[in-house]
Amino acid sequence: MAVTIVIPTPLRQFADGKSEIEVEAATAGEALKVLTTQFADLRKHLYNDQDALRNFVNVYVGDEDIRHLDGENTLIKDGETLMIVPSIAGGNVAVEAKSESELPSLSNEEYARYSRHLILPEVGLEGQRKLKAAKVLMIGTGGLGSPLGLYLAAAGVGRIGIVDFDIVDESNLQRQIIHGTKDIGRPKIASAKDRLEDINPNTKIDAYEIHLTSENALELFREYDVVVDGTDNFPTRYLVNDACILTGKPNVYGSIFRFEGQASVFWAERGACYRCLYPEPPPPGLVPSCAEGGVLGVLPGIVGTIQANEVIKVILGAEGILLNRLLLFDAWTMKFRELKLRKDPNCPICGTNQTIKELIDYEEFCGLRQSIAQENDAPILEEITATELKNRLDAGEDIQLIDVREPHEHEIASIREAKLIPLGQITARVAEIDESRTTVVHCKGGVRSAKAIADLIEKGFAGKLINLKGGIAAWSDEVDSTMPKY
Amino acid sequence: MKVQVLFFGATAEATGKREIEVNMENGAKTGDVFQRVIANFPQLQKHTLLFALNQEYSKGNETIKNGDELAIFTAVSGG
């Protein structure tokens, strides 16, 4: 049976520089035996002293890891490809690999503070000293970053970098428990730094009030052992993933949506990365943000705490981290589920044939620039300010108002004259809108109403449609200050 | 044979369901189930969907059996 073996770049130097080698074999094991007989130097990279395949060497037949098939006994069909996917390094974080003499010692105050860790054999004195030596970079100090930072500081992580450029807003406090009421209006990193230093003055906090970009990410990541993704948008998630792979750092991932959370440890040297799971980003604008879709306040508390747990285990070199596993959590039904993940040998950044070798433009990758361009091409949306609308209504002009929010939002605050037709029903209920009258469409902030107008035009609605700029929030600001903002 | 289909994240939002049961012919592949589901819920078409069969990431070519569980989910970005 003729089998093509694909040799990954780092191992080609042991195979006369070849990227593909054809051998005759019936099983995966046999193919590897023939290969390593031909190239003796390859043998010690693939097999250990007991003649077993090293556990950081992944072998794929077709798209399947042979561990999930019959191992070395996996049968190979004629003409099939066998791919070797090695881990680049042993896969330890720098601190985990540190010898005991390199680890910092603890003060008497620290012995007392960490006593409950010290008496746990799984942590112990050595583990606590590893935590003290560790440097963790947190991207975002919002819903996920809040509990994450609190627990990492409390656990005695020696250095924590925090990246955020946002300002604390009243609407953050329902879930972002690192910030308090007195912090409203302050930069999030300033507020977070104060709180973390209060929890543990032994922890050094590096505060970066910056946007994480393709220009600054690599330099920043190199300073740390572990990176934690607590951002709130897709471009930054792909950026964090790619920068982690290019700098060899584990990426402790968490993400939330309304009642549901996801968590995993993406670590290309040892398993799947974010791109292996999500090769392409969702179309822009399809998945609502927390601001548009809402989020249960306690949810990021749970997911961020899971991330903290995994960070600590990565630092300690514990087994059983969330590697090659995607945890799905539903807070409403209180169910945890787990999906097994596999490294994708065709992954453009961590697969055998790496095509992404430097950071790219992530806004563009996620289709955001394109959608801005499309918006510019689209017919110009007619808008009206809340003040102007009020004046025209007061002047007795005949305007029908359509509210495209959800019924529970309508209950919180509504403009008296507005008829409620939620965005999802707008095209089905088009007959309820009088084409002969001027129509002003509104939502909470002006985004969904613009979408509703686009949907109506696409459906062939011929009447005059105007978007209320800034939505009902602007109405509350400009016209009726007694109306609650949410 | 019967297959349980679970919806997560934006797919639960789009379909208004968390779980449905689908009847499939013997020998059907995971991809056939996904196509049946998308035919029933065309609003899913515009999403970038991911699938898992019995809690394992699926490529759509696995043969299913009675009582299998299929999860449909999307990436989420909130933090």
Side-chain angles (χ1 to χ4, degrees):
Chain A
M1 230 68 66
V3 183
T4 305
I5 305 178
V6 177
I7 313 287
T9 323
L11 293 184
R12 283 178 200 163
Q13 53 182 309
F14 308 111
D16 288 351
K18 288 188 180 131
S19 58
E20 288 187 357
I21 290 159
E22 198 165 296
V23 300
E24 287 287 326
T27 66
E30 217 178 290
L32 292 172
K33 287 259 148 55
V34 177
L35 176 75
T36 51
T37 312
Q38 203 177 337
F39 300 101
D41 287 346
L42 261 183
R43 186 156 186 89
K44 62 177 185 294
H45 289 274
L46 301 181
Y47 290 90
N48 64 19
D49 296 340
Q50 282 77 48
D51 248 7
L53 261 184
R54 291 181 184 274
N55 56 12
F56 56 82
V57 174
N58 304 308
V59 179
Y60 286 80
V61 171
D63 279 350
E64 294 282 334
D65 189 328
I66 60 168
R67 289 194 190 94
H68 301 288
L69 302 166
D70 291 327
E72 292 191 53
N73 297 323
T74 302
L75 294 174
I76 309 178
K77 292 195 233 29
D78 195 38
E80 215 160 22
T81 300
L82 187 140
M83 218 181 287
I84 302 172
V85 184
S87 312
I88 290 141
N92 287 347
V93 288
V95 52
E96 192 196 326
K98 272 194 177 140
S99 70
E100 231 209 292
S101 59
E102 292 173 287
L103 292 171
S105 54
L106 300 186
S107 68
N108 283 350
E109 185 270 334
E110 287 170 305
Y111 274 102
R113 176 184 283 267
Y114 305 127
S115 110
R116 300 301 188 275
H117 265 171
L118 296 174
I119 55 181
L120 263 185
E122 287 76 5
V123 182
L125 179 57
E126 198 188 334
Q128 195 61 52
R129 290 169 67 195
K130 282 182 180 171
L131 288 168
K132 187 174 178 179
K135 293 168 286 181
V136 177
L137 183 67
M138 297 169 33
I139 314 297
T141 55
L144 295 169
S146 286
L148 169 71
L150 298 177
Y151 274 112
L152 292 184
V157 168
R159 214 172 123 194
I160 300 177
I162 50 180
V163 181
D164 211 318
F165 56 85
D166 218 355
I167 302 290
V168 180
D169 179 80
E170 219 164 358
S171 69
N172 299 149
L173 303 179
Q174 160 257 20
R175 64 196 181 285
Q176 301 184 10
I177 55 172
I178 204 167
H179 313 294
T181 308
K182 66 175 177 3
D183 299 312
I184 293 170
R186 293 181 74 196
K188 283 188 177 175
I189 51 153
S191 153
K193 187 172 196 286
D194 284 355
R195 183 81 183 94
L196 296 179
E197 284 172 347
D198 181 40
I199 286 175
N200 192 345
N202 301 299
T203 296
K204 181 173 180 326
I205 309 295
D206 308 323
Y208 304 98
E209 193 174 5
I210 54 167
H211 280 275
L212 188 73
T213 65
S214 298
E215 284 68 46
N216 59 29
L218 295 178
E219 197 184 335
L220 194 57
F221 283 25
R222 282 194 195 103
E223 292 288 304
Y224 295 86
D225 304 311
V226 183
V227 179
V228 197
D229 180 355
T231 57
D232 60 359
N233 63 84
F234 287 114
T236 313
R237 291 194 181 278
Y238 281 97
L239 167 60
V240 169
N241 180 70
D242 292 1
C244 276
I245 291 164
L246 296 175
T247 55
K249 312 291 179 186
N251 168 14
V252 180
Y253 159 84
S255 187
I256 51 171
F257 178 76
R258 295 187 174 169
F259 299 105
E260 289 178 46
Q262 301 182 352
S264 189
V265 175
F266 295 120
W267 197 349
E269 291 174 4
R270 295 178 57 178
C273 82
Y274 184 70
R275 280 180 188 268
C276 296
L277 172 64
Y278 298 121
E280 51 178 300
L286 199 59
V287 181
S289 67
C290 290
E292 278 278 322
V295 62
L296 187 72
V298 75
L299 174 67
I302 295 167
V303 177
T305 307
I306 289 171
Q307 288 177 284
N309 189 61
E310 294 308 295
V311 170
I312 289 166
K313 280 158 57 195
V314 165
I315 293 166
L316 297 178
E319 288 179 11
I321 56 174
L322 265 177
L323 195 70
N324 287 330
R325 295 149 70 194
L326 177 71
L327 188 68
L328 295 173
F329 169 59
D330 185 326
W332 211 239
T333 55
M334 195 41 83
K335 276 190 179 157
F336 284 91
R337 281 168 186 280
E338 201 180 295
L339 301 182
K340 286 195 199 98
L341 303 180
R342 289 177 196 178
K343 193 177 189 70
D344 178 2
N346 299 317
C347 176
I349 188 149
C350 80
T352 353
N353 189 12
Q354 185 185 3
T355 53
I356 301 171
K357 294 179 177 163
E358 54 190 27
L359 298 178
I360 58 170
D361 182 336
Y362 293 90
E363 298 274 325
E364 191 185 350
F365 174 68
C366 292
L368 295 179
R369 293 210 195 296
Q370 204 183 345
S371 76
I372 292 165
Q374 274 167 5
E375 269 165 33
N376 289 342
D377 288 343
I380 294 159
L381 179 71
E382 191 174 339
E383 288 191 314
I384 186 169
T385 65
T387 311
E388 199 189 336
L389 175 63
K390 170 77 170 135
N391 292 342
R392 283 169 67 174
L393 287 171
D394 287 351
E397 198 176 320
D398 178 37
I399 294 175
Q400 69 181 333
L401 266 171
I402 303 292
D403 177 357
V404 296
R405 297 172 304 153
E406 299 301 316
H408 61 270
E409 295 180 84
H410 188 80
E411 258 174 49
I412 301 167
S414 58
I415 303 172
R416 192 169 34 87
E417 298 88 345
K419 179 181 177 67
L420 180 68
I421 307 179
L423 175 61
Q425 303 170 14
I426 197 83
T427 50
R429 292 174 60 184
V430 64
E432 294 173 42
I433 309 170
D434 185 350
E435 284 193 353
S436 67
R437 300 171 69 194
T438 296
T439 306
V440 172
V441 186
H442 86 82
C443 61
K444 182 187 165 194
V447 177
R448 278 174 289 172
S449 48
K451 174 84 174 57
I453 290 175
D455 287 355
L456 286 170
I457 292 171
E458 201 187 310
K459 187 88 183 167
F461 185 84
K464 189 173 177 58
L465 294 165
I466 305 172
N467 190 31
L468 176 60
K469 198 175 173 182
I472 199 167
W475 186 271
S476 165
D477 285 339
E478 297 173 26
V479 177
D480 180 2
S481 62
T482 64
M483 181 174 284
K485 276 178 84 175
Y486 64 98
Chain B
M1 63 185 169
K2 290 187 163 55
V3 181
Q4 287 302 116
V5 178
L6 310 175
F7 296 103
F8 292 94
T11 68
E13 206 67 38
T15 57
K17 304 221 182 295
R18 300 229 146 230
E19 196 172 332
I20 58 166
E21 203 173 71
V22 182
N23 252 316
M24 298 299 296
E25 312 70 44
N26 283 338
K29 304 266 187 195
T30 38
D32 301 329
V33 186
F34 304 143
Q35 281 184 355
R36 174 81 59 87
V37 172
I38 290 164
N40 289 340
F41 300 99
Q43 64 270 40
L44 288 177
Q45 254 165 19
K46 53 187 175 181
H47 288 266
T48 305
L49 300 174
L50 294 153
F51 308 101
L53 169 66
N54 298 327
Q55 315 212 347
E56 199 160 335
Y57 201 42
S58 156
K59 297 220 154 154
N61 53 4
E62 304 86 352
T63 305
I64 51 161
K65 52 186 193 313
N66 193 36
D68 272 354
E69 177 196 275
L70 280 151
I72 303 187
F73 62 106
T74 61
V76 298
S77 77

